[in-house]
Amino acid sequence: MPLLIRNLVLAPGEGEELLRSALTRRFSIRDDDIRELRLVRKSVDARKKPQVKFVCTVRCLLADEAGFLALYGTDPDVEAVVEPPRQTFPQLSHPERILIAGMGPAGLFAALRLADYGLRATVLERGKPVEERTRDVQAFWARGELDPESNVQFGEGGAGTFSDGKLTTRVNDPNIAYVIEKLIAFGAPPEIGYLAKPHIGTDRLCTVVASIRRFLKQRGFDIRFRSCLTDVVSHGGRIGAGIVNGAEEIPCRFLVLAPGHSARDTYAMLARHGVLMRQKPFAVGVRIEHPQPLINRIQYGKGHHPSLPPADYALAYNDRATGRSAYSFCMCPGGVVVAGSSEEGGVVTNGMSTYLRNSPAANSALVVTVGPADFGDASPLAGVEFQRLLERRAFAAGGGGYRAPAQNLVAFVEAKTGGRIASSYRPGVREVPLGELFPPAVTETLRDGIRFFDRKMRGFLTAEATLTGVEARTSAPVRIGRGEDFQAVGVGGLYPAGEGAGYAGGIMSAALDGIRVADAIANQISAQGGSSI
């Protein structure tokens, strides 16, 4: 039986091949007693600066397991592994193709899971393949030439493709291992299987999603780009077809709706059909950039080992008087701030980093919670209009051309002007008092939060940092109502999925939701007598 051994320590600069000797020293066993050893988790422990270390968990097979457990079985760092049953998927067939709208993590993993069952689907993506999409995004960043259908939000891979590719999640789901294994199989770096904070990076993500597309096509999936779900047809409370680009009708009995959090026209279409949607709280704010060496010194201490990875942080502040929170979000060590607009006349910021995280700056969203009381309207789409208002204010403040408003961090906190601005955002920035773009309650909570963050991370509040706005697409502003069977309330066969539907908050959680939806569809087909192959 395999064993898990926790809390084996490596110093920075030590290779993983030294884990065998760490295990033999810790438990007084010989090297030849270890038949197999595999690293399953590795995290940074920076509690004693600058003596930062890596803490590892290994999975191993020992020659004398019984003897080892007799000596060390009560050690809290030793655990016998009970192997989970191997996942099996009954092979099903269905006379009508399933329709999937959206090729972000939810849509892609719904498709991969359906393929496990032997099922096929038509997959719609309003944007372009990732290779073409990348060229469109680069043109936008360089020259401010926005393609509303091919940008950071829309296109193969979804919004997460142009991000850090973080896979951390608070969700405890047995399918996390499935997602990791699939990503590695399609080209993600193998270390995402054991790092405590795994990430892929935009450059690697682009190749991964292209590999998934090729696999799905080999399995008989019909992949259609530049194909937007513009309407749906229902009969007797059940989905009957999807309308593509306002013209083509595709009959379907099962429609996975995974549009992403920026598909505002999709929300409007659903509202016209009376599909149950509710306002959902989200958060708005700015992107902050610090020199990465500064964040490294704060987190690791002076004189830290140069082989340590670029440091990150996670910060949160709660104003008990107002109930609002400010927090860091989507932190990108060694990254850049990017233009994420998908509508003409609106400025949206986001953060991105490559696999190597080798930019000289660290960036993160600093955002404040907002909710229905801020939206000023009972409409399910009031949150969309709240986002749009902020984005248009930012566009106007930036002076057009999708330049973004920016401000020195100290100047923002002190409600002044001036100070150094150093933003990696393209097409460029313009100095603006950022506090004027937001409702006063948001601005004040953000300022209070930054002061609090500086008490947690001394040096965070510095004139070396720049804020760029606005960050308004932290999550979907609506939640599409669905039941325990994952179908939309009152519309059988319509399966809202992922972040755009209001049921996820990142690459991993969106992928997991897509898997759950695919399993629900397979169960439905099986219950209806879908034949096994």
Side-chain angles (χ1 to χ4, degrees):
M1 178 184 294
L3 300 175
L4 282 183
I5 310 294
R6 300 184 182 86
N7 287 321
L8 296 181
V9 174
L10 292 177
E14 291 185 334
E16 291 156 14
E17 68 279 1
L18 296 179
L19 285 170
R20 293 180 72 92
S21 58
L23 179 60
T24 58
R25 290 195 306 271
R26 168 92 181 265
F27 293 102
S28 301
I29 58 176
R30 300 190 310 273
D31 185 82
D32 58 7
D33 290 333
I34 305 171
R35 291 180 174 173
E36 294 179 17
L37 185 143
R38 177 166 60 89
L39 178 62
V40 296
R41 187 173 177 83
K42 183 180 182 181
S43 60
V44 175
D45 183 351
R47 288 174 295 180
K48 295 181 179 179
K49 304 177 179 63
Q51 284 78 41
V52 181
K53 60 187 178 181
F54 291 103
V55 179
C56 303
T57 298
V58 299
R59 175 190 171 106
C60 61
L61 284 174
L62 302 179
D64 183 11
E65 176 192 307
F68 181 87
L69 289 176
L71 289 173
Y72 303 110
T74 59
D75 190 309
D77 290 334
V78 175
E79 178 185 345
V81 176
V82 179
E83 298 284 7
R86 183 180 178 84
Q87 279 186 309
T88 59
F89 303 96
Q91 296 301 286
L92 305 171
S93 66
H94 194 259
E96 296 179 13
R97 277 187 183 268
I98 299 159
L99 197 59
I100 299 174
M103 286 186 71
L108 287 174
F109 272 87
L112 288 171
R113 189 65 149 213
L114 290 172
D116 288 334
Y117 290 102
L119 296 166
R120 299 175 181 176
T122 295
V123 185
L124 308 176
E125 171 52 55
R126 69 189 299 164
K128 298 179 184 179
V130 71
E131 299 89 348
E132 297 177 45
R133 180 189 183 196
T134 299
R135 291 193 290 271
D136 293 335
V137 167
Q138 292 293 344
F140 176 50
W141 291 345
R143 299 183 294 275
E145 299 171 357
L146 175 66
D147 183 339
E149 298 298 329
S150 182
N151 47 62
V152 167
Q153 308 298 339
F154 298 142
E156 185 178 25
T161 303
F162 292 93
S163 70
D164 187 68
K166 286 177 286 293
L167 302 176
T168 50
T169 178
R170 295 175 183 171
V171 176
N172 184 15
D173 191 301
N175 280 314
I176 289 175
Y178 173 96
V179 175
I180 295 291
E181 288 169 8
K182 289 288 187 184
L183 291 171
I184 293 173
F186 289 115
E191 61 264 31
I192 68 171
Y194 60 78
L195 290 177
K197 296 180 179 180
H199 89 109
I200 300 175
T202 287
D203 48 341
R204 297 288 186 94
L205 268 171
C206 289
T207 62
V208 168
V209 298
S211 295
I212 293 174
R213 176 224 309 159
R214 289 190 289 269
F215 170 81
L216 292 173
K217 292 180 77 170
Q218 291 169 359
R219 295 295 296 268
F221 282 66
D222 181 15
I223 310 294
R224 302 190 186 186
F225 293 103
R226 302 180 182 88
S227 298
C228 182
L229 181 74
T230 52
D231 210 343
V232 295
V233 177
S234 60
H235 305 289
R238 182 169 184 89
I239 202 74
I243 307 297
V244 179
N245 295 337
E248 181 184 5
E249 182 173 316
I250 302 179
C252 63
R253 297 280 290 170
F254 301 96
L255 171 54
V256 179
L257 185 66
H261 62 36
S262 294
R264 294 166 173 175
D265 49 358
T266 302
Y267 296 149
M269 178 269 288
L270 296 174
R272 289 196 302 272
H273 282 279
V275 174
L276 178 63
M277 291 187 291
R278 298 185 177 90
Q279 297 179 359
K280 186 176 75 62
F282 53 99
V284 298
V286 295
R287 276 271 154 186
I288 186 169
E289 279 186 283
H290 291 86
Q292 183 66 55
L294 172 63
I295 298 300
N296 292 346
R297 288 196 300 274
I298 293 172
Q299 297 296 73
Y300 294 151
K302 294 180 180 179
H304 60 270
H305 197 280
S307 71
L308 287 167
D312 63 6
Y313 57 81
L315 297 164
Y317 161 76
N318 182 57
D319 187 328
R320 295 181 180 179
T322 65
R324 289 189 192 271
S325 296
Y327 59 94
S328 62
F329 172 79
C330 186
M331 198 273 159
C332 299
V336 293
V337 176
V338 300
S341 301
S342 59
E343 288 185 344
E344 293 181 355
V347 162
V348 179
T349 63
N350 198 0
M352 185 186 86
S353 59
T354 62
Y355 169 67
L356 292 177
R357 288 176 163 171
N358 55 3
S359 155
N363 79 78
S364 176
L366 293 185
V367 292
V368 174
T369 52
V370 294
D374 300 295
F375 304 156
D377 191 326
S379 162
L381 303 185
V384 170
E385 293 306 315
F386 183 85
Q387 290 177 323
R388 186 174 278 142
L389 173 65
L390 294 181
E391 292 164 13
R392 288 177 175 171
R393 284 179 180 173
F395 183 86
Y402 296 96
R403 292 184 297 275
Q407 189 174 14
N408 179 272
L409 176 62
V410 172
F412 171 77
V413 171
E414 296 179 354
K416 297 178 180 178
T417 58
R420 175 177 175 268
I421 292 178
S423 176
S424 59
Y425 175 97
R426 295 183 297 157
V429 297
R430 178 187 181 194
E431 184 179 3
V432 168
L434 288 174
E436 297 177 2
L437 300 181
F438 300 100
V442 170
T443 297
E444 290 310 311
T445 304
L446 192 55
R447 285 173 173 151
D448 290 343
I450 290 167
R451 296 184 186 101
F452 178 81
F453 300 157
D454 188 59
R455 295 196 289 273
K456 293 293 183 179
M457 288 178 59
R458 290 295 182 184
F460 186 88
L461 177 50
T462 172
E464 293 184 75
T466 297
L467 302 178
T468 307
V470 296
E471 176 96 11
R473 309 277 183 97
T474 54
S475 65
V478 304
R479 177 170 287 119
I480 303 170
R482 73 182 187 190
E484 293 183 1
D485 60 0
F486 296 93
Q487 298 181 67
V489 175
V491 189
L494 179 63
Y495 291 81
E499 190 163 353
Y503 294 96
I507 292 173
M508 178 60 77
S509 59
L512 293 171
D513 199 57
I515 291 168
R516 287 190 286 267
V517 163
D519 286 341
I521 291 173
N523 291 337
Q524 184 81 354
I525 290 173
S526 180
Q528 292 174 357
S531 60
S532 295
I533 303 171

